[in-house]
Amino acid sequence: MKLLFNLSLIALLAACSSAPKADNRHTVAQLRVQKFLDSYNTVYQELYTVSSEAQWKSNTYIKEGDSSAAQATDEANKAMAAFTGSQSVIDSVQVYLKLKDMLTPIQVKQLNVILYAAANNPASMKDMVEQRIKAETQQISNLFGFNFVLNGKKVSTNDIDKILNESNDLKLREQAWTASKEVGKTLKEGLVNLQMLRNQTVKPLGYSDFFTYQVSDYGMTTEEMMKMNEEMIRDVWPIYRELHTWARYELAKKYKAKEVPDALPAHWLSNRWGQDWSAMVNVAGLNLDSVLKLKQKEWFSEQAERFYVSIGFPPLPKSFYEKSDLFPLAPDAGYSKNNHASAWHMNLKEDVRSLMSIEPNSEWYETTHHEFGHIYYYLTYSNKDVPYVLRGGANRAYHEAFGSMMGLAAMQKPFISGIGLLPGDVKTNDTMQLLKEALNYIVFIPWSAGVMTHYEHDLYAANLPVADYNKHWWDLVSKYQGITPPSARNDAYCDAASKTHINDDAAQYYDYALSYILLFQVHEHIAKNILHQDPHATNYYGNKEIGTFLQKMMYPGASGDWRKMLKDNTGSDLSAKALVNYFMPVMEYLKKQNKGRKYTLPETL
C-alpha cells in the first residue's frame, strides 16, 4: 500500500509539474485528491458505524461481569484508530496539503480534518493508542456501571438528583451529595492513566498536549482559547456576583442556617456540580412540573418532534423511536445504562438515536427539546454536499448552541401557552422568570469557562500533579463559583471525575460555554429579525421562516468557516453582548435584594 501511494504521488507530481496550463495542473491535482477523499470517506463511514453501534451497546447495556460490550467497543475503536491514524493516510494528506493552492476549499477542509483525526491515533504510537482506547472503554464502564449507595441502599443518579431538588433535610442532602462523589475514587487511577496516554498520543504530529490538540479544532491556540474563556467570565461576572450573594442569603433562609456562609455549601444546591441553580426559583403561575407530571413519558419526545416539524423540519425517521433508548430502566432490568442524556449519529446518515432517561418533569421536557436539536442538526447536514468527514457542527459549540437555544425557546411563556401547557391568560412574574433563567445560563459560565476549562487545561497542558487532583479542583470551584464542599475532601477523592465529560468527552467543555454565547446571539437575531418579538417572550412554534433560517446554518455542517457562518447569518462576530443584554433587566432587582448584604466574591477576577 505504501509503495502504491508513492508511485501514485510521483505520477501526480509529474503531471502537475509538466502540464503547460495552470488550470490543467489544478484539474489533475483535484481529481487525484478527490479519488483519495472518496475512498477515505467510504471506509471512514463504515468504520464509524461499527464503532457507534459498539459504543451504543456499551452505554445502554452495562452488566456486572459481562465485558462483551466493552470488548466489542474496544475492537471497533481500535479499527477506527488504525485506519484514521495509518501512516499511509498521514503521508498522503501531508503531501496533498502541499498542493492546497490547486485544490478546492472543501477538499482542503477535508484533508485538514483527516489530519486532525490522525493526530489522535498516529500509527507511530500504535501500542499507546490501543492502550488509550482500552483505558477509555474501561473508564466509561467504571463510570456508568458504578453502584451508587445511599444509607446502605442502591440508588440511581436520578434518585440523588430528586433528593437535591426536593429535600429540605440538610443531613440527607449532604449524604446524597457525598454519595454522588464516591464514583470519583474508583475513577482516579484511570484518569491518571488517561492523562498520560492522551498527552503522549498527540505528540507525533506536533501537538504539545491533548488540550492544545482539542483546541486546535477551532483554529485557535490554547492561549487564544483560554483568553476567550476568561473574557466570557468577565462579561457575566457582575451578574454572577449578584446571583451568588442573593443565593447565599436565600438558601441560608431556606435551610434556617444560623449564619450566612461566605461560600455556597455544595449540598445546598440542587445540581451535583453547582452548574445550575434555577431550581431555587418557582415562578408563580409557571409551575410546569404540576402539568408535566400528568403526561405519559412518550409525550415528551413526541412533543419535541412536533415542535421541530412545526417550523419546517421533517418528521424523524421511524427508526429513531425503534432504536433509541429514551426511558429509565425497570428496577429489575438486571443491567444498568448511561443516564446522561445524549444524541447519536450512528452511521452519519439517517440512523439517529437518543439516549435519555425521561421522567415527567420540566427538566426532561427542556432536555428532550435540546437533544432533538442535535438530532435535527445531524439530519440536516447529512446531505449530498457534505462529505462524511465533515458531517459535524460548524464547530463543536454550534451543536450545543442549537440544542440549548431550542430548549430555551421551548421554556418561554408564549411558547408553552401556545402548546396548551399553560392557560394563555395566566399571570406570571416576568422578573422571577428571568431570575430563574439567569440562575441557569449565567451561573453556567463560571462553571464551564472557569472550573471545567481551567481544570482540564491544567490537567493536560500543565501536567497537574496527581496529589493535587482534588485540591486543585476545589480551588477552582472556590475561585470561579464561590462554592465549598460540605466537609473536607482529601486527595483520596477525585471529585472532578464524577463529571462524565472529564472521562469521556475530555478537554472540550469550553464548547458548552461558547455555545451559550452563540445561542443568545442566534436567539436574539431570530427574535428581533424574524419574529419581531421580545427575546424574553418568543414563540417559535409554527414559524417556517425560523426553520428555513436554522436549516441554512445547519446545512453546511463543518464544511464552512464557523466565524464566517456566524457573521453571514446574524451580522455579528462572536460576542457575549446578546447574553449580557438578555439578563441585564434582572440586575436592578438583584441589587435591591442585596442592599446591605455582604458580598464575598471579588468585584473582578
Side-chain angles (χ1 to χ4, degrees):
M1 183 139 180
K2 187 82 173 284
L3 177 61
L4 259 169
F5 157 73
N6 286 334
L7 291 174
S8 178
L9 175 60
I10 291 169
L12 170 61
L13 293 175
C16 291
S17 61
S18 61
K21 293 183 180 179
D23 57 346
N24 288 345
R25 294 200 302 271
H26 291 185
T27 299
V28 171
Q30 289 172 18
L31 289 173
R32 289 291 185 129
V33 169
Q34 193 58 48
K35 185 176 181 181
F36 165 79
L37 291 172
D38 289 344
S39 176
Y40 183 96
N41 273 283
T42 298
V43 178
Y44 177 83
Q45 188 270 336
E46 292 171 355
L47 292 172
Y48 181 98
T49 302
V50 173
S51 177
S52 296
E53 290 286 1
Q55 291 182 59
W56 176 261
K57 188 169 184 181
S58 287
N59 279 266
T60 56
Y61 186 84
I62 304 169
K63 189 169 185 178
E64 191 172 352
D66 184 351
S67 61
S68 59
Q71 288 175 355
T73 299
D74 190 50
E75 291 303 315
N77 289 344
K78 283 180 181 177
M80 173 63 89
F83 170 69
T84 58
S86 69
Q87 196 60 49
S88 62
V89 165
I90 293 171
D91 290 344
S92 297
V93 172
Q94 288 178 331
V95 170
Y96 290 147
L97 281 172
K98 291 178 181 177
L99 308 172
K100 63 181 180 181
D101 291 342
M102 300 183 184
L103 307 178
T104 65
I106 200 167
Q107 287 179 324
V108 174
K109 183 77 171 180
Q110 288 177 82
L111 292 172
N112 282 321
V113 168
I114 291 169
L115 192 61
Y116 175 80
N120 199 33
N121 305 303
S124 60
M125 303 286 282
K126 181 176 181 293
D127 290 344
M128 191 163 284
V129 168
E130 290 187 352
Q131 288 178 48
R132 191 204 72 225
I133 291 168
K134 184 176 181 180
E136 287 173 335
T137 303
Q138 186 61 52
Q139 190 82 340
I140 293 168
S141 180
N142 291 342
L143 172 62
F144 297 121
F146 184 77
N147 290 321
F148 292 90
V149 177
L150 178 59
N151 294 326
K153 181 182 177 182
K154 182 179 176 181
V155 293
S156 69
T157 52
N158 277 356
D159 295 328
I160 290 172
D161 290 341
K162 186 174 182 180
I163 291 171
L164 294 177
N165 270 291
E166 299 177 2
S167 177
N168 287 336
D169 183 338
L170 281 180
K171 182 179 179 181
L172 177 61
R173 294 182 67 87
E174 181 174 347
Q175 290 170 338
W177 183 91
T178 301
S180 77
K181 302 301 175 186
E182 286 297 308
V183 65
K185 290 181 180 178
T186 70
L187 297 170
K188 182 176 182 180
E189 185 178 343
L191 183 59
V192 173
N193 188 38
L194 283 172
Q195 186 269 359
M196 182 274 293
L197 292 170
R198 286 167 173 162
N199 268 354
Q200 291 300 316
T201 50
V202 298
K203 287 185 176 179
L205 267 70
Y207 295 97
S208 59
D209 59 85
F210 187 70
F211 189 89
T212 298
Y213 164 73
Q214 292 284 25
V215 166
S216 71
D217 194 35
Y218 280 81
M220 299 172 72
T221 65
T222 292
E223 291 72 22
E224 289 170 338
M225 178 60 76
M226 297 307 290
K227 181 181 178 183
M228 181 184 292
N229 278 269
E230 288 290 345
E231 288 172 351
M232 286 190 283
I233 299 169
R234 281 198 295 271
D235 286 339
V236 305
W237 190 253
I239 306 178
Y240 183 79
R241 186 169 177 262
E242 295 291 340
L243 290 169
H244 181 267
T245 303
W246 177 86
R248 285 171 37 243
Y249 280 83
E250 293 301 311
L251 289 175
K253 187 190 307 179
K254 176 182 178 180
Y255 296 123
K256 298 178 173 58
K258 293 180 179 179
E259 296 181 355
V260 177
D262 285 350
L264 281 166
H267 66 299
W268 283 19
L269 299 164
S270 60
N271 181 272
R272 282 174 272 156
W273 301 279
Q275 69 185 68
D276 178 358
W277 308 348
S278 58
M280 287 184 63
V281 174
N282 290 315
V283 183
L286 203 60
N287 184 8
L288 276 183
D289 284 331
S290 63
V291 178
L292 293 174
K293 70 181 181 181
L294 304 176
K295 298 290 185 183
Q296 295 294 318
K297 60 185 181 180
E298 292 82 7
W299 178 88
F300 291 82
S301 54
E302 291 168 357
Q303 175 56 39
E305 182 181 5
R306 280 193 290 271
F307 171 31
Y308 285 89
V309 171
S310 81
I311 60 175
F313 287 92
L316 290 172
K318 184 180 178 182
S319 61
F320 173 82
Y321 289 103
E322 295 171 341
K323 296 181 177 181
S324 289
D325 191 330
L326 302 176
F327 309 111
L329 294 174
D332 60 352
Y335 63 95
S336 58
K337 73 175 206 178
N338 177 358
N339 287 310
H340 185 79
S342 56
W344 297 58
H345 199 185
M346 300 299 295
N347 63 352
L348 297 175
K349 293 192 287 188
E350 74 291 334
D351 187 353
V352 290
R353 305 177 197 175
S354 186
L355 174 57
M356 293 190 273
S357 289
I358 296 172
E359 301 272 10
N361 57 46
S362 56
E363 182 177 350
W364 278 107
Y365 164 81
E366 182 177 3
T367 297
T368 306
H369 284 79
H370 175 113
E371 295 305 328
F372 276 45
H374 292 293
I375 296 296
Y376 275 105
Y377 201 176
Y378 296 148
L379 292 172
T380 305
Y381 59 57
S382 294
N383 61 68
K384 62 181 178 57
D385 296 320
V386 181
Y388 290 123
V389 296
L390 297 181
R391 292 187 180 179
N395 64 31
R396 295 192 304 258
Y398 269 71
H399 250 294
E400 293 303 324
F402 287 131
S404 295
M405 185 182 72
M406 301 309 260
L408 172 71
M411 294 295 286
Q412 294 201 323
K413 181 183 170 183
F415 182 101
I416 55 182
S417 297
I419 62 172
L421 290 180
L422 290 175
D425 59 353
V426 66
K427 301 297 183 183
T428 60
N429 187 318
D430 293 340
T431 299
M432 286 297 99
Q433 176 59 25
L434 191 60
L435 174 61
K436 186 177 183 68
E437 291 178 351
L439 290 167
N440 176 1
Y441 293 101
I442 294 294
V443 162
F444 185 78
I445 298 298
W447 153 256
S448 54
V451 177
M452 286 291 285
T453 294
H454 284 76
Y455 188 82
E456 292 198 288
H457 169 272
D458 297 344
L459 180 66
Y460 294 104
N463 289 308
L464 181 67
V466 178
D468 291 341
Y469 272 23
N470 217 46
K471 179 183 182 301
H472 191 59
W473 173 257
W474 284 105
D475 286 346
L476 292 171
V477 170
S478 175
K479 175 181 178 179
Y480 290 105
Q481 292 181 284
I483 294 174
T484 189
S487 59
R489 309 293 293 173
N490 62 39
D491 62 8
Y493 293 93
C494 187
D495 293 328
S498 70
K499 186 64 176 172
T500 178
H501 304 75
I502 295 285
N503 305 282
D504 64 356
D505 199 17
Q508 300 181 50
Y509 209 80
Y510 42 81
D511 293 356
Y512 296 95
L514 287 167
S515 77
Y516 276 21
I517 306 303
L518 286 167
L519 93 84
F520 279 97
Q521 279 190 255
V522 177
H523 173 70
E524 182 179 77
H525 178 85
I526 289 172
K528 292 184 175 180
N529 297 287
I530 297 178
L531 292 172
H532 306 290
Q533 296 173 353
D534 180 353
H536 303 94
T538 63
N539 187 358
Y540 285 23
Y541 202 92
N543 190 301
K544 297 293 194 294
E545 190 178 348
I546 294 175
T548 299
F549 170 76
L550 290 176
Q551 288 180 69
K552 180 183 176 185
M553 290 191 76
M554 291 176 168
Y555 187 90
S559 65
D561 179 88
W562 67 268
R563 295 174 183 84
K564 186 176 185 300
M565 187 179 299
L566 181 65
K567 184 67 176 285
D568 287 350
N569 286 281
T570 68
S572 60
D573 295 316
L574 184 73
S575 168
K577 183 179 179 181
L579 170 65
V580 173
N581 287 345
Y582 187 92
F583 290 106
M584 280 307 294
V586 85
M587 279 288 280
E588 183 179 350
Y589 169 83
L590 288 168
K591 286 181 177 179
K592 287 181 180 178
Q593 294 294 308
N594 290 333
K595 188 175 182 180
R597 290 175 172 177
K598 177 184 176 183
Y599 288 80
T600 55
L601 292 181
E603 289 189 23
T604 58
L605 280 180

